[in-house]
């Protein structure tokens, strides 16, 4: 438990940022409200953060704030999907998705447009990631696209996790609210668990470059 | 959105029940009840209005009494009378000369307070300037916080870059008021880069440079840069990091 969380004080000491910066970033929505966790300690109430997430986030903010304004950064970290349309050729040009994924994508959505909403591109990016990791076959990617397309909108930008399991060679995908504990029978192998919010951040970062 | 020229006005003189919708100007001089969400450019209330829904407006001026059951979004908000909002409030500029009660969180660019402000949740702004009284149930978070204590002020937490709390001027009226009201700030923690406090009761104050002026009672001060304390104030413990 203690390893997973870090107190505000420790965080500032570790990262070298000031209280003012932390509060400014909170105001600018660079750090989500629900990462500020209040707990009582023997000295009274203190604020804790999920350690891994906050350290990764602060690292990103510090390294990117010279290139991007705070508002642009906030936009990047925002779980709400960007409203912009993305040109498919940009995806290929910037090496964000491969031709194979794009073909799959085109088959699923029916190829007509040159540009797709950000949300759909996110699906392609997630498929691409699993393909690149070598854990998923092309045919399975088709199923994944279907799951994302029909169920991801229901989360309305709230954090969620993609779970990819296989049982006796048959694969299945599920979307679950983040940090939920799931139990499977013994013959189920959890191939991969993917935090959709961090995929989204990665994709936004790549597109902004 | 409807073309702005084609929008109708909603003018209420006397006692009227109206339905929500998209208006150019909503002007209430009498007693109005509006059912449904309201979107308008100007909302002016010199009488009494209660809106059962969300409100979205560019300019809001309340000289009378307004109650909103949902969320309130406005760019410029001026409150000389009384406003009671059940949801969150978002704004660019907020001026409260009367009284505003928010049963949610508030966020915006600039708050100028000369009356009374109460929010159940957090209150976020780039500039928070208060010459009145407030009660904030959550975190008061602003880039620059300037508080002149006129009446009792309280917040659960205060955080920001520059935080300054001073006693109000020494006019006769203030002296009289001081006997009736308790002109202090009570807060659990104050955290910021530059902190100057007077007449503040806090458990913990943390900052780079912390100066404790007169009339304070503080359990613990933690600082990285400089620390100064007025002799009339009590600080139980102070530590440099």
């Amino acid at each position: 438990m203690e390893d997973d969380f870090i107190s505000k004080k420790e965080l500032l000491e570790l990262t070298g940022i000031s209280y003012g910066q932390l509060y400014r970033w909170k105001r600018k929505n660079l750090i989500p409200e629900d990462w500020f966790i209040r707990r009582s300690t023997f000295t009274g109430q203190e604020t804790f953060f999920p350690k891994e997430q906050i350290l990764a986030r602060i690292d990103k903010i510090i390294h990117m704030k010279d290139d991007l304004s705070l508002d642009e950064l906030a936009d990047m970290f925002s779980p709400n999907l960007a409203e912009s349309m993305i040109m498919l050729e940009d995806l290929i040009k910037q090496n964000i998705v491969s031709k194979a994924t794009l073909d799959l994508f085109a088959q699923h959505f029916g190829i007509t447009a040159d540009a797709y909403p950000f949300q759909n591109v996110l699906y392609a990016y997630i498929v691409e990631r699993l393909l690149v990791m070598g854990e998923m076959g092309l045919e399975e990617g088709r199923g994944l696209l279907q799951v994302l397309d029909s169920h991801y909108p229901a989360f309305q930008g709230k954090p969620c996790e993609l779970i990819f399991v296989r049982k006796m060679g048959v694969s299945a995908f599920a979307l679950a609210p983040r940090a939920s504990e799931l139990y499977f029978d013994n013959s189920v192998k959890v191939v991969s668990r993917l935090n959709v919010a961090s995929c989204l951040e990665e994709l936004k970062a790549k597109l902004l470059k | 959105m409807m073309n702005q020229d084609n929008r109708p006005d909603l003018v209420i003189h006397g006692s009227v029940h109206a339905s929500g919708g998209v208006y150019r100007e909503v002007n209430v001089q009498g007693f109005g009840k509006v059912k449904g969400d309201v979107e308008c450019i100007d909302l002016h209330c010199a009488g009494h209005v209660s809106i059962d829904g969300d409100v979205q407006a560019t300019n809001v001026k309340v000289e009378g009494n307004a109650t909103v059951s949902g969320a309130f979004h406005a760019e410029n908000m001026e409150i000389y009378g009384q406003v009671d909002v059940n949801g969150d409030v978002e704004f660019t500029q907020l001026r409260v000369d009367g009284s505003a009660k928010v049963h949610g969180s508030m966020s915006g660019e600039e708050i100028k307070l000369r009356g009374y402000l109460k929010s159940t949740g957090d209150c976020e702004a780039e500039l928070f300037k208060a010459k009145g009284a407030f009660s904030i149930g959550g975190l008061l978070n602003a880039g620059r916080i300037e508080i002149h204590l006129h009446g009792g002020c309280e917040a659960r937490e205060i955080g920001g870059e520059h935080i300054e709390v001073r006693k109000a001027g020494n006019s006769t009226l203030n002296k009289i008021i001081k006997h009736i009201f308790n002109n202090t700030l009570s807060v659990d923690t104050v955290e910021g880069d530059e902190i100057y406090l007077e007449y503040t009761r806090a458990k913990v104050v943390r900052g780079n440079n912390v100066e404790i002026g007169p009339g304070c009672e503080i359990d613990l001060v933690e600082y990285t840069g400089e620390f100064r304390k007025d002799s009339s104030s009590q600080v139980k413990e102070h530590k440099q990091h």
Side-chain angles (χ1 to χ4, degrees):
Chain A
M1 191 72 172
E2 287 308 311
D3 290 347
D4 300 343
F5 291 92
I6 184 167
S7 76
K8 196 194 279 171
K9 227 166 93 182
E10 285 175 303
L11 178 74
L12 299 193
E13 276 168 27
L14 207 66
T15 55
I17 63 170
S18 70
Y19 282 109
Q21 273 172 312
L22 183 74
Y23 283 109
R24 192 179 329 130
W25 293 347
K26 178 181 193 295
R27 264 196 325 274
K28 294 285 181 193
N29 295 322
L30 297 183
I31 303 169
E33 178 85 49
D34 56 5
W35 289 8
F36 286 73
I37 301 157
R38 290 178 63 80
R39 277 216 221 125
S40 36
T41 59
F42 65 96
T43 51
Q45 287 262 337
E46 269 215 69
T47 305
F48 288 83
F49 298 90
K51 189 170 180 177
E52 230 174 274
Q53 285 167 296
I54 190 83
L55 287 176
R57 177 63 57 93
I58 285 180
D59 191 62
K60 269 189 208 158
I61 298 171
I62 290 173
H63 285 102
M64 297 182 79
K65 77 170 166 13
D66 296 337
D67 304 327
L68 297 172
S69 73
L70 287 185
D71 290 331
E72 283 171 315
L73 273 173
D75 199 36
M76 189 181 111
F77 294 137
S78 158
N80 301 324
L81 292 165
E83 280 160 23
S84 52
M85 299 287 282
I86 288 144
M87 300 292 290
L88 288 186
E89 55 180 288
D90 287 349
L91 293 177
I92 299 280
K93 237 188 263 164
Q94 297 181 56
N95 244 334
I96 294 169
V97 295
S98 64
K99 188 83 180 53
T101 305
L102 215 59
D103 286 344
L104 217 68
F105 184 74
Q107 271 171 33
H108 181 79
F109 288 102
I111 193 157
T112 41
D114 296 331
Y116 280 89
F118 180 83
Q119 182 160 322
N120 295 2
V121 172
L122 173 69
Y123 304 157
Y125 179 68
I126 292 172
V127 171
E128 173 76 16
R129 268 199 56 162
L130 283 168
L131 280 174
V132 168
M133 284 195 276
E135 283 162 340
M136 184 183 72
L138 257 182
E139 205 42 48
E140 290 169 323
R142 206 178 297 271
L144 173 56
L145 259 182
Q146 247 157 41
V147 170
L148 287 169
D149 190 25
S150 41
H151 299 298
Y152 184 66
F155 283 89
Q156 293 177 326
K158 286 197 205 82
C160 71
E161 199 181 20
L162 172 75
I163 297 130
F164 174 25
V165 296
R166 215 178 257 141
K167 180 177 178 172
M168 298 197 248
V170 179
S171 56
F173 298 93
L175 281 170
R178 198 174 56 195
S180 52
E181 294 196 28
L182 297 165
Y183 302 92
F184 300 100
D185 73 70
N186 289 339
S187 56
V188 170
K189 181 178 181 289
V190 178
V191 185
S192 187
R193 293 180 76 145
L194 214 57
N195 185 342
V196 179
S198 47
C199 290
L200 193 135
E201 262 175 43
E202 284 170 27
L203 176 61
K204 280 188 182 174
K206 285 190 175 173
L207 284 168
L208 278 168
K209 266 180 198 158
Chain B
M1 200 200 272
M2 216 188 267
N3 185 330
Q4 296 196 346
D5 299 333
N6 299 339
R7 295 175 170 210
D9 289 342
L10 173 63
V11 181
I12 297 180
H13 286 207
S15 172
V16 175
H17 283 247
S19 69
V22 182
Y23 297 101
R24 194 170 56 122
E25 186 185 356
V26 174
N27 190 338
V28 182
Q29 304 286 339
F31 189 95
K33 276 199 164 178
V34 181
K35 199 145 182 66
D37 297 346
V38 172
E39 187 194 316
C40 63
I41 298 171
D42 295 303
L43 171 65
H44 182 205
C45 171
H48 195 114
V49 68
S50 84
I51 297 169
D52 193 7
D54 297 342
V55 178
Q56 191 161 5
T58 313
N59 301 305
V60 174
K61 193 168 178 181
V62 177
E63 290 161 317
N65 208 310
T67 310
V68 174
S69 77
F72 206 145
H73 291 243
E75 270 164 48
N76 299 307
M77 247 175 152
E78 290 174 45
I79 296 160
Y80 302 101
Q82 234 185 65
V83 166
D84 207 313
V85 183
N86 212 9
D88 294 345
V89 176
E90 271 179 49
F91 52 88
T92 312
Q93 308 264 349
L94 171 65
R95 176 173 172 165
V96 182
D97 278 25
S99 132
K101 286 183 187 165
V102 178
H103 301 268
S105 293
M106 309 175 59
S107 60
E109 281 296 310
E110 210 177 288
I111 301 180
K112 285 195 177 150
L113 170 70
R114 297 172 73 103
Y116 177 68
L117 172 71
K118 182 188 169 103
S119 92
T120 319
D122 295 346
C123 177
E124 292 190 336
E126 288 311 305
L127 176 67
F128 180 88
K129 237 178 165 168
K131 286 188 176 172
F134 59 83
S135 161
I136 292 164
L139 165 70
L140 167 60
N141 174 3
R144 192 174 176 89
I145 295 174
E146 290 173 26
I147 297 168
H148 277 86
L149 295 165
H150 289 259
C153 294
E154 57 179 16
R156 196 192 66 201
E157 254 184 289
I158 294 179
E161 281 116 80
H162 179 98
I163 299 165
E164 197 180 301
V165 178
R166 293 179 191 277
K167 195 177 77 168
N170 252 339
S171 71
T172 326
L173 182 66
N174 276 321
K175 277 181 189 154
I176 299 164
I177 291 171
K178 211 185 138 191
H179 286 286
I180 309 166
F181 299 106
N182 182 8
N183 277 9
T184 54
L185 166 69
S186 10
V187 55
D188 267 9
T189 49
V190 179
E191 293 174 333
D193 294 341
E194 303 291 325
I195 300 175
Y196 176 81
L197 302 176
E198 289 180 8
Y199 299 90
T200 298
R201 253 179 279 163
K203 284 182 192 142
V204 188
V205 175
R206 299 192 183 101
N208 294 356
N209 299 323
V210 178
E211 186 174 348
I212 304 293
C216 294
E217 275 175 53
I218 289 151
D219 290 351
L220 171 66
V221 174
E222 291 179 345
Y223 60 101
T224 47
E226 278 180 54
F227 170 63
R228 266 185 293 172
K229 182 182 93 65
D230 187 272
S231 57
S232 72
S233 279
Q234 261 188 35
V235 172
K236 283 190 192 150
E237 200 187 341
H238 58 94
K239 284 195 278 198
Q240 185 169 24
H241 286 279

